[in-house]
């Protein structure tokens, strides 16, 4: 039985945080461990160029994301792990797809519409500060997905539209040039669709409410203490499934610990005690990965070697398929 291709990418736009791990890295590693899938995982550094336009930051963020995946257990032999910029076929396909994508489809993209609405609310020109990379972002993402004939694309709820756009573009190409692309399906993990940040909103760098994944223990403890809770008395029963602290706790604790904490919630436990226990399980869980992360970040050559190896594997699939696509559109070189 042929394995299904599962593909996911993570933008290199800052320090990896706990939300990245729970929402993307952890589920991806679980899929990679299954014999059902052929995993393609990549660092979306071209995507990050829409906002990260400092040379040193650009490089450092890429290494930080790569080191995070590797430190947390990604096996480069088991998965195809690459840097987007190391696979030029992605950008070549992106141009081809751009020429078949209606402008109106990009006008309806959520990220662009949101940026326009924000500009209008601030009495600015609707396109102020919006570069073409932001506008055409979904086409590059479609290229990421379609080039590897992806069957499944794990995403958060806010990314579903991008997979739907990729399907629309693929369907149109297939109609014009003949059956070429398979149509990808999105996969949303409803249990981790929204990882709460320090203030209760979705954990996001844009909200400045994140917990850096590999911060030092003192910083981790300090940040956990800042997580917003309500005024429910310690002795009062609490619903664990409505608690951001419990959601985080269950991602790092053992099954027995999770069940015990669930019982503690029902019988009554203070938020301070929960935060203390959360710190202890996170400290234990991340201790070895943090050490490995530091080792990798001090040895960028090892990271480059791993990413170049992954890019070679990726291009073995990308190059012949791109040639097939180019033949379909009339290229005869």
């Amino acid at each position: 039985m042929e394995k299904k291709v599962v593909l996911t990418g993570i933008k290199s736009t800052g320090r990896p945080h706990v939300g990245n791990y729970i929402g993307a890295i952890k589920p991806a590693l679980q899929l990679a461990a299954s014999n059902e899938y052929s995993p393609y995982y990549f660092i979306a550094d071209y995507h990050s160029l829409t906002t990260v336009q400092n040379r040193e930051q650009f490089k450092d963020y890429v290494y930080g994301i790569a080191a995070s995946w590797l430190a947390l257990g990604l096996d480069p032999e088991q998965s195809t792990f690459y840097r987007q910029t190391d696979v030029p076929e992605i950008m070549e396909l992106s141009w081809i797809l751009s020429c078949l994508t209606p402008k109106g489809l990009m006008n309806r993209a959520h990220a662009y519409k949101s940026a326009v609405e924000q500009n209008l609310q601030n009495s600015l020109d609707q396109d102020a500060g919006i570069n073409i990379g932001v506008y055409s972002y979904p086409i590059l993402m479609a290229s990421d997905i379609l080039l590897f004939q992806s069957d499944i694309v794990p995403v958060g709820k806010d990314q579903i539209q991008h997979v739907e756009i990729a399907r629309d573009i693929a369907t149109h190409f297939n109609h014009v040039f003949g059956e070429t692309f398979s149509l990808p399906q999105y996969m949303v993990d409803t249990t981790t669709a929204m990882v709460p940040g320090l203030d209760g909103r979705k954990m996001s760098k844009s909200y400045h409410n994140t917990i850096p994944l590999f911060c030092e223990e003192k910083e981790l403890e300090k940040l956990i203490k800042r997580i917003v809770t309500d005024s429910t008395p310690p002795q009062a029963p609490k619903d664990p499934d409505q608690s951001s602290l419990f959601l985080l706790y269950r991602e790092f604790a053992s099954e027995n610990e999770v069940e015990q904490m669930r019982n503690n919630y029902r019988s009554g436990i203070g938020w301070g005690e929960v935060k203390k226990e959360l710190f202890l399980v996170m400290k234990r869980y991340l201790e070895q990965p943090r050490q490995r992360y530091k080792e990798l970040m001090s040895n960028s050559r090892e990271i480059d070697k791993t990413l170049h190896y992954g890019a070679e594997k990726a291009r073995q699939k990308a190059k012949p398929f791109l040639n097939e696509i180019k033949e379909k559109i009339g290229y005869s070189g």
Side-chain angles (χ1 to χ4, degrees):
M1 180 178 176
E2 189 175 354
K3 293 183 179 182
K4 292 183 177 180
V5 173
V6 57
L7 178 141
T8 193
I10 185 166
K11 285 173 66 178
S12 48
T13 54
R15 296 171 70 187
H17 58 74
V18 169
N20 296 142
Y21 172 64
I22 296 175
I25 300 175
K26 185 178 180 181
L29 293 176
Q30 291 170 341
L31 289 173
S34 169
N35 290 326
E36 296 180 39
Y37 303 107
S38 178
Y40 283 73
Y41 299 151
F42 69 97
I43 302 167
D45 50 345
Y46 267 138
H47 284 295
S48 73
L49 189 59
T50 60
T51 56
V52 180
Q53 297 175 358
N54 174 285
R55 181 177 183 273
E56 293 307 316
Q57 274 190 340
F58 188 90
K59 291 171 59 179
D60 185 63
Y61 289 163
V62 168
Y63 286 135
I65 296 297
S68 297
W69 281 80
L70 295 170
L72 289 161
L74 179 70
D75 184 349
E77 297 293 341
Q78 190 180 49
S79 305
T80 302
F81 183 53
Y82 57 97
R83 179 168 37 201
Q84 191 182 36
T85 47
D86 287 335
V87 184
E89 290 81 6
I90 295 171
M91 295 302 294
E92 191 170 351
L93 177 59
S94 182
W95 174 253
I96 294 171
L97 299 181
S98 294
C99 296
L100 280 89
T101 302
K103 179 177 179 290
L105 186 59
M106 293 299 94
N107 290 342
R108 296 190 293 274
H110 293 330
Y112 173 67
K113 286 177 63 178
S114 176
V116 168
E117 288 171 7
Q118 187 171 354
N119 280 337
L120 295 177
Q121 288 172 5
N122 293 325
S123 301
L124 299 172
D125 179 84
Q126 70 171 28
D127 288 323
I130 302 175
N131 57 52
I132 292 297
V134 171
Y135 183 73
S136 61
Y137 187 103
I139 301 175
L140 179 55
M141 189 166 176
S143 180
D144 290 322
I145 295 168
L146 299 176
L147 183 61
F148 296 101
Q149 296 284 52
S150 306
D151 297 298
I152 298 170
V153 185
V155 293
K157 286 184 177 179
D158 57 342
Q159 295 285 312
I160 290 175
Q161 188 196 42
H162 285 139
V163 182
E164 293 175 336
I165 288 174
R167 287 175 58 90
D168 288 343
I169 294 172
T171 299
H172 181 56
F173 187 100
N174 291 348
H175 176 73
V176 174
F177 294 108
E179 200 65 28
T180 306
F181 295 112
S182 58
L183 302 184
Q185 301 288 337
Y186 60 79
M187 175 189 288
V188 177
D189 185 344
T190 56
T191 63
T192 58
M194 202 287 279
V195 180
L198 302 177
D199 56 3
R201 293 183 295 175
K202 176 183 176 181
M203 189 176 292
S204 170
K205 289 183 284 287
S206 61
Y207 293 151
H208 307 289
N209 66 351
T210 64
I211 301 175
L213 191 55
F214 296 121
C215 62
E216 295 298 330
E217 291 179 5
K218 287 185 178 180
E219 183 184 359
L220 175 61
E221 185 174 23
K222 182 179 178 180
L223 289 171
I224 288 174
K225 287 179 178 179
R226 284 179 49 196
I227 296 175
V228 173
T229 54
D230 60 28
S231 57
T232 307
Q235 66 274 15
K238 302 170 181 65
D239 183 355
D241 296 323
Q242 298 300 316
S243 168
S244 60
L245 289 172
F246 184 79
L247 188 152
L248 294 172
Y249 183 86
R250 74 184 184 191
E251 296 295 334
F252 298 96
S254 68
E255 290 185 13
N256 289 338
E257 288 170 332
V258 171
E259 190 57 34
Q260 181 59 54
M261 181 59 74
R262 187 179 290 276
N263 291 334
N264 290 342
Y265 265 75
R266 291 167 176 162
S267 60
I269 186 174
W271 295 129
E273 184 64 23
V274 178
K275 290 180 179 181
K276 177 182 176 182
E277 293 301 318
L278 175 59
F279 167 69
L280 291 175
V281 295
M282 288 184 68
K283 171 186 172 184
R284 179 189 66 201
Y285 190 97
L286 294 171
E287 184 176 8
Q288 290 186 355
R290 183 188 296 112
Q291 183 58 40
R292 178 58 178 153
Y293 174 82
K294 290 179 179 178
E295 292 171 359
L296 287 164
M297 288 300 287
S298 64
N299 186 2
S300 60
R301 288 185 178 180
E302 182 177 350
I303 296 176
D304 281 330
K305 182 179 179 181
T306 300
L307 293 175
H308 289 156
Y309 172 69
E312 289 177 4
K313 289 172 63 179
R315 296 191 72 192
Q316 287 175 9
K317 181 165 186 172
K319 289 176 71 174
F321 186 45
L322 180 64
N323 286 336
E324 178 186 333
I325 294 165
K326 290 164 73 174
E327 289 176 4
K328 290 280 183 75
I329 65 174
Y331 175 75
S332 59

